[in-house]
Amino acid sequence: MERLRTPGAMRAWADARRAEGARIGLVPTMGYLHEGHVSLVRIAKARGCGAVAATIFVNPTQFGPGEDFEKYPRDEARDLAMLDAAGVDAVYLPGVRDMYPEGHQTFVDVTGVSQGLCGAARPGHFRGVATVVAKLFLAAKPHVAVFGEKDYQQLAVIRAMNRDLDFGIEIVGASIVREEDGLAMSSRNAYLAGDHRVAARCLSRGLFRAKELFGKGERDAAALVAEARAAIEGEPRAKLEYAEGRDPVTLSPRSGRVDAVTILVSAKVGPARLIDNITLGN
Ligand code: AMP
């Protein structure tokens, strides 16, 4: 597995793989890897990518003031071992100064789909995400890029950017990988200990209840969302940030009778801000 630390090194690797005729798959991450990340690598391989690059970069521009940029968990040695074991061909680990040298002044702003949900709770977050992903796309020149549905709004932002800026990359969404008790895997779960770890189940519990209701024939968006919200509001250690029903593709708000809906939730549990979602009817 090659280790690349600058945009120039990433580009040279990508050019060489393209010259060989390889199909390049890209898996962007912020590190502190878990099975969810590894599943993205597997998906890239299953999509016929003979050259898979993963990136590890805790991107400062997507963190707001007072958020956890400094505290974000990091373990490069463990991450490299996991990526190597997963059969990744190259890992791109740029430093902050490599990505944002003195004088950096260009940002990518995806408008509509960045608004609301996490975009409301974290102003500027998706601008940082779109900018860094655009930079990763330009350096790694992938044919395919894989992103988790765990970050459902992020996936929609990247799909919009890819379309609007003509990147021409195949964007693949990957199912959420969960712990045995339902909690969506996340690097930020490292912040959860004891009671908070138990309390964190309320996000997925509510979503699964909504799924059960949907299975029994409930089609009213508000009733389905209410189920997800009630599970979080019923957990004293959790503080609900949002629970909303959105169109699975456009992410526009849905109310009334729905054939398909994505329910997205966010809550603070102790020191961790957690998100989760489920798509019903697709
Ligand atoms: P992160 O390192 O948290 O920025 O995540 C990197 C990529 O892994 C993103 O595309 C995430 O959506 C994806 N991801 C994170 N957690 C999961 C999970 N539990 N299941 C599937 N994909 C995930």
Side-chain angles (χ1 to χ4, degrees):
M1 186 171 70
E2 288 194 49
R3 295 176 199 188
L4 312 165
R5 297 210 178 252
T6 63
M10 181 74 254
R11 270 197 306 275
W13 181 88
D15 288 341
R17 300 294 80 75
R18 281 190 171 247
E20 292 165 2
R23 192 168 154 80
I24 299 176
L26 183 70
V27 176
T29 83
M30 297 205 300
Y32 211 72
L33 304 179
H34 50 67
E35 266 308 303
H37 297 112
V38 174
S39 77
L40 308 185
V41 172
R42 276 193 222 106
I43 288 170
K45 287 176 169 285
R47 292 277 174 146
C49 296
V52 175
T55 75
I56 299 176
F57 181 60
V58 184
N59 174 35
T61 66
Q62 70 188 70
F63 289 79
E67 289 188 358
D68 58 345
F69 173 69
E70 306 290 345
K71 278 185 290 181
Y72 197 84
R74 292 161 168 90
D75 189 341
E76 190 175 303
R78 183 171 153 272
D79 288 348
L80 291 173
M82 283 177 76
L83 293 174
D84 205 10
V88 163
D89 301 285
V91 56
Y92 181 33
L93 312 114
V96 171
R97 280 288 154 232
D98 299 309
M99 289 299 261
Y100 300 109
E102 196 66 34
H104 172 95
Q105 55 195 278
T106 307
F107 289 88
V108 177
D109 201 359
V110 177
T111 54
V113 83
S114 290
Q115 282 155 23
L117 304 169
C118 289
R122 306 182 70 189
H125 170 64
F126 288 118
R127 184 178 189 247
V129 168
T131 301
V132 80
V133 172
K135 287 167 68 63
L136 297 174
F137 283 178
L138 290 165
K141 307 181 187 187
H143 297 84
V144 176
V146 191
F147 294 87
E149 289 178 352
K150 157 89 188 340
D151 300 273
Y152 202 86
Q153 189 178 16
Q154 168 175 283
L155 177 57
V157 166
I158 288 159
R159 285 191 197 284
M161 178 185 80
N162 182 59
R163 181 196 63 214
D164 295 347
L165 296 186
D166 305 315
F167 276 103
I169 295 166
E170 185 188 341
I171 307 295
V172 178
S175 303
I176 300 175
V177 178
R178 297 180 179 281
E179 302 288 355
E180 254 174 43
D181 66 355
L183 178 67
M185 287 192 186
S186 164
S187 308
R188 288 191 170 95
N189 292 350
Y191 301 147
L192 297 169
D195 285 354
H196 287 139
R197 173 62 187 80
V198 176
R201 292 180 193 158
C202 68
L203 283 84
S204 56
R205 192 166 58 230
L207 295 173
F208 294 152
R209 277 197 201 140
K211 182 180 178 181
E212 223 177 285
L213 267 190
F214 190 87
K216 289 181 183 154
E218 179 63 74
R219 289 294 179 274
D220 181 58
L224 295 163
V225 171
E227 199 70 18
R229 177 178 296 122
I232 297 172
E233 287 180 337
E235 170 50 65
R237 288 182 193 82
K239 188 167 177 296
L240 179 78
E241 192 172 82
Y242 63 73
E244 293 193 35
R246 297 290 184 109
D247 180 273
V249 177
T250 65
L251 278 190
S252 52
R254 296 302 314 266
S255 59
R257 199 194 142 78
V258 286
D259 292 324
V261 65
T262 300
I263 300 176
L264 303 104
V265 295
S266 167
K268 276 210 83 169
V269 180
R273 180 183 177 277
L274 304 176
I275 58 173
D276 201 349
N277 67 83
I278 200 164
T279 298
L280 307 174
N282 254 7

